[in-house]
């Protein structure tokens, strides 16, 4: 499989707008790829499901590699759109914004199932590293900002820097949220992610933060 463009993967939101037909193809591929992996899904399968000719499909995406790239870019755009909407209101209530941010990341994490991650790691480790890099960028950018706001609002401890909290979160996500470890621990992605965040936030929140977040753990374990 050809390696997708590093520039496009890193600058996803700056790519050209897809046609309506291309968006339909990406939506169908996204559902199948993320749930079942991309090795088992053929371009012929997608064309048949969408009720279009293979010629039409290949006119939009000449290869599965290009379609995979488009799926990943669509995923990155949807994450950033959701996170930007949350951050636009974050100054009003840092605690509420933090909960929404965590719920958003958990929801997007759940969509990507282990078969997809395994396929990328096996078929294109360079692309897997780029996906990991984008995840790191998102966590640093958005969580770093909200932790800074939380410190100012008195819900996050001031004796631990936001940068260190983010690095601890990144390290835990990297160590636990991968197919091998999830399988070894017998976890579902939602359960694993919720546990990571629960443990870390319990350690960095102030008493004021905990009082405002009394129902937080229950929401993520539900």
């Amino acid at each position: 499989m050809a390696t997708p463009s590093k520039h496009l993967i890193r600058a996803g939101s700056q790519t050209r707008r897809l046609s309506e037909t291309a968006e339909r193809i990406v939506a169908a591929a996204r559902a199948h790829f993320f749930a079942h992996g991309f090795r088992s899904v053929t371009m012929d399968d997608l064309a048949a499901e969408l009720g279009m000719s293979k010629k039409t499909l290949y006119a939009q995406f000449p290869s599965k590699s290009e379609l995979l790239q488009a799926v990943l870019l669509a995923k990155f755009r949807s994450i950033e759109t959701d996170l930007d909407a949350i951050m636009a209101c974050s100054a009003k209530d840092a605690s509420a914004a933090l909960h929404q941010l965590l719920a958003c990341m958990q929801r997007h994490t759940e969509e990507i199932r282990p078969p997809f991650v395994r396929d990328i790691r096996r078929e294109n480790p360079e692309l897997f590293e780029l996906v990991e890099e984008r995840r790191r960028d998102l966590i640093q950018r958005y969580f770093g900002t909200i932790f800074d706001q939380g410190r100012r609002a008195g819900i996050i401890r001031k004796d631990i820097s936001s940068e260190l909290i983010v690095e601890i979160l990144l390290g835990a996500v990297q160590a636990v949220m991968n197919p091998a470890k999830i399988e070894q621990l017998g976890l579902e992605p939602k359960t694993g992610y919720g546990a990571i965040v629960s443990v870390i936030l319990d350690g960095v929140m102030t008493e004021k933060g905990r009082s405002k977040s009394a129902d937080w753990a229950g929401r993520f374990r539900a």
Side-chain angles (χ1 to χ4, degrees):
M1 180 181 292
T3 302
S5 164
K6 290 184 180 182
H7 171 72
L8 291 180
I9 291 296
R10 289 195 175 102
S13 60
Q14 300 174 6
T15 56
R16 66 177 177 82
R17 182 176 178 82
L18 296 177
S19 67
E20 183 177 343
T21 299
E23 287 183 348
R24 286 183 58 217
I25 296 170
V26 168
R30 177 173 171 169
H32 285 291
F33 287 178
F34 286 165
H36 310 295
F38 56 83
R39 290 186 63 187
S40 62
V41 182
T42 68
M43 299 288 272
D44 290 355
D45 292 336
L46 290 172
E49 178 179 319
L50 291 164
M52 65 177 58
S53 68
K54 290 187 287 185
K55 180 178 179 181
T56 299
L57 190 151
Y58 279 104
Q60 298 291 330
F61 300 101
S63 69
K64 188 193 284 190
S65 176
E66 292 186 45
L67 178 55
L68 173 61
Q69 176 178 309
V71 166
L72 289 171
L73 292 178
K75 177 66 170 176
F76 293 142
R77 282 194 296 270
S78 66
I79 293 173
E80 292 192 28
T81 296
D82 289 348
L83 294 179
D84 284 341
I86 293 168
M87 296 305 294
C89 301
S90 64
K92 298 178 182 178
D93 189 337
S95 179
L98 178 57
H99 294 157
Q100 293 170 19
L101 196 67
L102 296 169
C104 178
M105 293 298 290
Q106 180 173 325
R107 184 175 65 255
H108 279 288
T109 298
E110 284 186 286
E111 183 185 13
I112 301 177
R113 308 301 296 173
F116 177 78
V117 181
R118 283 198 297 265
D119 282 355
I120 285 190
R121 294 183 74 178
R122 292 171 181 172
E123 300 290 323
N124 201 319
E126 183 178 10
L127 177 56
F128 178 76
E129 290 179 5
L130 289 173
V131 171
E132 293 280 281
E133 180 182 317
R134 281 300 298 270
R135 181 172 68 180
R136 181 181 181 88
D137 288 344
L138 289 174
I139 291 176
Q140 287 178 321
R141 188 192 326 166
Y142 293 98
F143 279 82
T145 298
I146 203 66
F147 286 146
D148 282 341
Q149 293 178 351
R151 282 159 58 90
R152 290 193 293 271
I155 65 171
I156 299 293
R157 291 167 53 181
K158 295 184 178 180
D159 60 323
I160 305 175
S161 70
S162 298
E163 291 81 3
L164 179 55
I165 298 172
V166 168
E167 287 302 319
I168 293 171
L169 176 58
L170 285 168
V173 169
Q174 180 74 23
V176 176
M177 298 305 294
N178 64 77
K181 186 59 66 174
I182 286 288
E183 183 176 357
Q184 178 186 336
L185 296 174
L187 297 173
E188 287 292 320
K190 178 179 180 179
T191 307
Y193 191 84
I196 290 170
V197 175
S198 177
V199 169
I200 292 174
L201 278 193
D202 187 59
V204 302
M205 274 192 167
T206 61
E207 287 300 320
K208 176 182 177 180
R210 291 192 185 95
S211 67
K212 294 187 67 174
S213 308
D215 65 339
W216 175 85
R219 295 178 187 178
F220 280 85
R221 293 194 185 103

